[in-house]
Amino acid sequence: MTIIRQLPTFLVAASLLTGSGCALTRKKLNPNLAFPKQLYQNGITHSDDVLDELGPPLKMTAMPHGYAFMYESLYTKELQLGFGLPIPVIKWFKFVVALADYDHKVLIYQFDDDHRLVCSGGNETSFDLGNSTAIQPIITYQPMFDTSDVENEVVSFVEWPAFCLMPLAQTLNRAQSLDTGTVGLEQRGTAPQAGQRSSEMHK
Amino acid sequence: MRMRMSINRWSISILLTTGVLFLAGCSNWDGYAGVENTWRSLDVPVWEPGVTTASDVTALLGPPSQLIALHDETVFYYMREGKDGKALMLFVWNTGTQTATYDRAIFFFDKKGLLRKYSYSPEVLPYEPEEEK
């Protein structure tokens, strides 16, 4: 009898405890990229063969004695688990634990001026973006990971005048920028503090 | 009197629990960026390497998203980005997925402006011509 009497309170408490907002956010970019079925051979495979199987690359760049293709696929996941406590005032807040990771698939092909394959590489890796905790109002949802550096647009359609407004170091590096498709390619998620972009003085 | 209080407690509890568990919301969204993917139109002719010119392509598809200069070739690169998302909000469990798809076409022209090679992406977005203004 006591259990039945306490059941309503138990139900409300259980709702607050378990029902404080868990969330799963997924973002997929170019999810259907598949590794090629045929074996490409250096010095033999023609760029037409790659185009026929994989289609146009997501990124392309001119090279001193040829050009290169890059194909990429990205899948980011963020899981948030929220917990609440049925205590006055505190019940309007939730304690959030969040985890995030992403799967990245990349294929690179470099060709010479005769359109023959010089070298190629492919990889599929999962990266852990870490974990995070927060206290949030109970009815809010706020992503806790900044994944913009790996989700940047493949083509920034309105970028050309914007570089004038970038920090000076980035503007000065524009001629060698890996975004323009004229001097090289860059995988998503590459830290800008090292390599070609290090001169842009990213923090 | 005691019986009535018990009923009230039950009603409120059931309402609250039902609200938390079953008050659901959902949403979906889509958006596009980039050039119109006219290359998916049924009116596009069969491009013929050695015959089709760069002018033929721009006349039909418009300016490319990117013009890429190679050593002795010019590349016209067309891309249309489509984003499609869905979300389900159940208070207790919320989930959302967004997918970005890139519909692409690429054309290689020689020094004379004649088509050498073209290719379309296996990923296809629906062709929805914009109404003429």
Side-chain angles (χ1 to χ4, degrees), chain A residues 5 8-9 21-30 48 51-52 54-58 62 113 115 153 157, chain B residues 2 9 13 69 71 73 77 81 83 91-92 94-100 102 104 116-117 119-123:
Chain A
R5 196 177 295 165
T9 310
C22 299
L24 176 64
T25 311
R26 289 169 291 200
K27 290 182 182 174
K28 302 175 187 175
L29 281 86
N30 197 33
D48 290 2
L51 288 168
D52 287 340
L54 301 176
L58 270 190
D113 280 332
H115 312 291
E153 300 293 330
F157 299 101
Chain B
R2 190 167 179 162
R9 279 182 68 187
S13 300
H71 177 59
E73 289 192 328
Y77 187 88
E81 179 190 67
K83 281 186 177 170
F91 278 107
V92 177
N94 308 295
T95 182
T97 303
Q98 178 173 281
T99 304
Y102 300 96
R104 316 176 299 277
R116 181 185 66 79
K117 173 71 180 172
S119 174
Y120 295 166
S121 61
E123 297 83 14

Side-chain angles (χ1 to χ4, degrees), chain B residues 107-127:
Chain B
F107 298 84
F108 291 77
F109 298 99
D110 63 16
K111 288 178 184 172
K112 294 176 184 172
L114 294 174
L115 183 67
R116 181 185 66 79
K117 173 71 180 172
Y118 76 95
S119 174
Y120 295 166
S121 61
E123 297 83 14
V124 179
L125 290 172
Y127 173 59

Side-chain angles (χ1 to χ4, degrees), chain A:
Chain A
M1 188 67 183
T2 309
I3 294 172
I4 293 172
R5 196 177 295 165
Q6 296 301 320
L7 192 58
T9 310
F10 172 77
L11 280 173
V12 173
S15 298
L16 287 169
L17 277 168
T18 60
S20 294
C22 299
L24 176 64
T25 311
R26 289 169 291 200
K27 290 182 182 174
K28 302 175 187 175
L29 281 86
N30 197 33
N32 298 323
L33 176 64
F35 283 108
K37 290 174 183 165
Q38 53 182 303
L39 184 68
Y40 296 145
Q41 292 181 285
N42 294 346
I44 296 173
T45 300
H46 197 279
S47 63
D48 290 2
D49 300 329
V50 177
L51 288 168
D52 287 340
E53 184 171 6
L54 301 176
L58 270 190
K59 293 179 182 174
M60 181 180 177
T61 184
M63 306 289 284
H65 300 290
Y67 53 95
F69 294 166
M70 179 186 274
Y71 298 85
E72 279 188 303
S73 166
L74 186 73
Y75 182 18
T76 64
K77 288 157 280 181
E78 179 178 340
L79 175 65
Q80 290 191 4
L81 301 171
F83 303 93
L85 291 173
I87 299 171
V89 181
I90 290 175
K91 69 182 177 183
W92 301 114
F93 296 89
K94 62 179 176 179
F95 301 88
V96 182
V97 178
L99 315 158
D101 59 50
Y102 71 94
D103 302 327
H104 184 224
K105 191 187 288 183
V106 61
L107 296 167
I108 286 186
Y109 300 96
Q110 186 187 344
F111 303 95
D112 61 20
D113 280 332
D114 295 324
H115 312 291
R116 297 293 169 187
L117 187 66
V118 175
C119 67
S120 63
N123 196 18
E124 187 170 12
T125 322
S126 292
F127 295 91
D128 186 4
L129 287 169
N131 52 60
S132 182
T133 54
I135 299 173
Q136 295 176 346
I138 197 163
I139 56 167
T140 60
Y141 168 71
Q142 182 69 37
M144 291 167 65
F145 292 89
D146 180 9
T147 53
S148 57
D149 59 332
V150 292
E151 291 169 13
N152 59 340
E153 300 293 330
V154 171
V155 177
S156 186
F157 299 101
V158 291
E159 188 190 2
W160 67 268
F163 72 88
C164 297
L165 303 172
M166 289 175 177
L168 183 61
Q170 290 178 39
T171 304
L172 291 174
N173 194 44
R174 184 71 182 169
Q176 293 82 38
S177 172
L178 297 169
D179 299 325
T180 55
T182 55
V183 292
L185 295 169
E186 182 180 50
Q187 284 192 43
R188 290 169 184 272
T190 303
Q193 287 83 4
Q196 198 280 334
R197 288 187 195 276
S198 57
S199 56
E200 295 178 358
M201 299 174 74
H202 291 272
K203 292 176 183 172

